[in-house]
Amino acid sequence: MVKPSILQWARESAGLSLEEAADKVGINAARGVSGSDRLLALETEAGEISRPVLLKMAKIYRRPLVSFYLNEPPARGDRGEDFRTLPDRHTGGEPLVDALVRDIRSRQAVVRAVQVEEEEAEPLPFIGSMSRNDGVGPVLASIRQVLGLDLAAFRAQGSADAGFALLRSRVEAAGIYVLLIGNLGSHHSAIDVDAFRGFALADPIAPFVVINDQDAKTAWSFTLLHEVAHLWIGATGVSGGHFEGAIEQFCNDVASSFLLPERELDQLPITRTTDVVEAARLVTEFAEERLVSRSLVAYRLFRADKITERTWRVLTDTFRTQWLQSRAAQRERARGMDGGPNYYIVRRHRLGAALLNFVARNMSEGVLTPTRASKLLGVKPRSVHTLLSGAALAIEQGA
């Protein structure tokens, strides 16, 4: 029998009110009792709940069916340390962030288990190999050496997309799985960047980095390097957009020191007295030349004490507003166009070559079934072969 406390926990952890849940699950008014009151009764009184309703709850609440038969609500899912400050945690996206972290942890567990079972598990020596006490310079030097990072090669790519692709390939070649995920399977469950920008799961066998692809593409490289810094100091957790925390500032400084060395800031004719409008223009030109986001440049200027905190925050808000307007305009144009990007191409890009190669190799060796592979890839079993077939060339090159 399903306990009432479990029903309440499942609904609340999904971030739904009684009214919202009753409507989505399909519990309608009956015999003069509203749907929300009928649901409340299920959550407070011991009684039978029909299997169709339970199945619908499992889908709406994004919980496996087996979780409804627990004896008591479990402790909150381990997302590691929460590196976000209060503004990030008050966006209403917490249930979605928790659900995403649970999903990625389950995928990580499968990858880790397969590597252990197949005796391929070799601990990566750089995970947790350093600490903040070592300093930004030494940590970045270690990351450069292990990943083979070169700033000139990054900038030579010519675009933010291509630069990110290069960085991602180096990170994945080192044994880190890099995923681009900003929702739970559909645009209806999109997680705003105000809720999270990325997170890192610092496991020595199967480390994962997730980047919120709802963010501007110019920010992806910075977020990737930021989360890699988390792995280097062994700090599992969720990162947001506010940088007051000591660990967040440290990882930001590591990432930004690679993408934009401090000596280059001297090329920007901006001081603490520069007009904000003029500063925004200069930052925009400077950032575009270096394939980085304008917000990163503004942050570096602030950290170097070249602009005031007020100017930094004004610039950050301005750039974000402009980006949101640009994104809305792009989406509006896309609605008026026929077709769109191929589903499988988009899915492969989000999953990354490392995970695709892992699944393809282990399926070909009979280690992974299509059903188990589908859970790793986040698609239906019938879509697995189509998804992997288009990545054949990349898989052969990565073998």
Side-chain angles (χ1 to χ4, degrees):
M1 178 181 293
V2 177
K3 294 185 176 181
S5 60
I6 295 296
L7 295 179
Q8 181 181 1
W9 157 76
R11 174 183 59 77
E12 291 179 345
S13 63
L16 297 174
S17 66
L18 283 166
E19 291 76 12
E20 291 170 332
D23 180 61
K24 291 178 179 293
V25 173
I27 300 178
N28 302 316
R31 299 176 183 175
V33 180
S34 68
S36 58
D37 283 341
R38 292 180 63 203
L39 177 56
L40 178 61
L42 290 173
E43 293 183 356
T44 55
E45 304 171 10
E48 289 292 337
I49 181 171
S50 70
R51 185 171 179 79
V53 170
L54 197 58
L55 289 171
K56 191 68 179 291
M57 285 180 170
K59 179 180 179 179
I60 297 301
Y61 298 166
R62 300 186 181 91
R63 292 280 179 183
L65 187 62
V66 67
S67 67
F68 286 85
Y69 294 95
L70 295 171
N71 287 324
E72 59 184 23
R76 185 172 182 168
D78 181 17
R79 58 167 64 158
E81 188 171 348
D82 196 333
F83 299 109
R84 300 168 303 159
T85 52
L86 285 176
D88 301 308
R89 296 199 296 266
H90 284 239
T91 61
E94 287 303 275
L96 297 179
V97 174
D98 271 335
L100 178 58
V101 174
R102 284 197 305 270
D103 175 52
I104 301 304
R105 275 199 176 279
S106 67
R107 299 193 205 192
Q108 180 191 49
V110 173
V111 172
R112 196 182 202 285
V114 168
Q115 291 190 24
V116 172
E117 291 168 4
E118 297 303 305
E119 299 182 350
E120 298 177 353
E122 296 183 7
L124 300 173
F126 54 82
I127 299 296
S129 61
M130 303 186 78
S131 73
R132 286 194 296 122
N133 293 333
D134 291 306
V136 170
V139 170
L140 177 56
S142 177
I143 292 173
R144 281 179 180 272
Q145 180 181 17
V146 173
L147 303 185
L149 295 184
D150 180 79
L151 182 58
F154 169 78
R155 290 178 176 173
Q157 299 308 301
S159 71
D161 276 352
F164 171 75
L166 175 65
L167 291 181
R168 185 186 199 180
S169 68
R170 299 291 173 82
V171 173
E172 291 189 325
I176 300 167
Y177 297 90
V178 181
L179 281 63
L180 291 164
I181 303 180
N183 61 47
L184 299 181
S186 75
H187 68 277
H188 298 294
S189 57
I191 308 174
D192 195 275
V193 293
D194 284 338
F196 96 100
R197 290 186 180 276
F199 63 82
L201 303 181
D203 182 90
I205 302 299
F208 271 67
V209 164
V210 173
I211 298 169
N212 189 343
D213 64 0
Q214 304 294 320
D215 205 353
K217 292 182 179 180
T218 53
W220 289 359
S221 291
F222 174 82
T223 300
L224 174 56
L225 291 172
H226 173 103
E227 299 305 334
V228 165
H230 272 275
L231 296 179
W232 242 255
I233 62 175
T236 287
V238 180
S239 300
H242 295 81
F243 312 139
E244 287 82 356
I247 289 180
E248 288 300 83
Q249 282 194 359
F250 180 84
C251 293
N252 279 349
D253 289 344
V254 170
S256 58
S257 293
F258 171 76
L259 293 169
L260 184 57
E262 187 169 346
R263 64 180 181 276
E264 293 189 9
L265 294 178
D266 293 334
Q267 300 173 28
L268 259 175
I270 295 177
T271 68
R272 294 172 69 88
T273 60
T274 301
D275 176 74
V276 172
V277 174
E278 176 63 7
R281 184 186 68 80
L282 292 170
V283 166
T284 298
E285 294 176 355
F286 189 82
E288 289 176 351
E289 292 175 356
R290 291 161 176 77
L291 312 185
V292 297
S293 71
R294 295 178 296 174
S295 294
L296 168 59
V297 177
Y299 174 74
R300 292 289 282 159
L301 288 170
F302 168 60
R303 293 287 285 164
D305 201 31
K306 293 180 179 294
I307 60 175
T308 64
E309 181 175 353
R310 178 183 178 280
T311 299
W312 167 53
R313 294 190 182 279
V314 170
L315 288 173
T316 299
D317 290 343
T318 299
F319 296 149
R320 174 166 173 74
T321 298
Q322 292 174 348
W323 171 69
L324 288 173
Q325 292 172 343
S326 175
R327 184 177 68 171
Q330 290 176 355
R331 290 178 174 176
E332 189 61 32
R333 288 194 296 270
R335 290 192 187 98
M337 299 173 61
D338 295 331
N342 179 274
Y343 167 81
Y344 291 103
I345 292 176
V346 173
R347 179 64 65 174
R348 290 178 201 123
H349 179 55
R350 289 173 176 169
L351 291 168
L355 190 59
L356 288 169
N357 291 343
F358 175 85
V359 173
R361 183 177 71 253
N362 284 284
M363 281 191 69
S364 67
E365 295 174 357
V367 177
L368 285 175
T369 64
T371 298
R372 204 176 184 193
S374 72
K375 295 184 182 302
L376 276 176
L377 300 175
V379 299
K380 295 179 179 179
R382 65 173 180 268
S383 299
V384 170
H385 287 293
T386 304
L387 182 65
L388 294 177
S389 63
L393 179 60
I395 291 169
E396 290 172 7
Q397 292 174 340

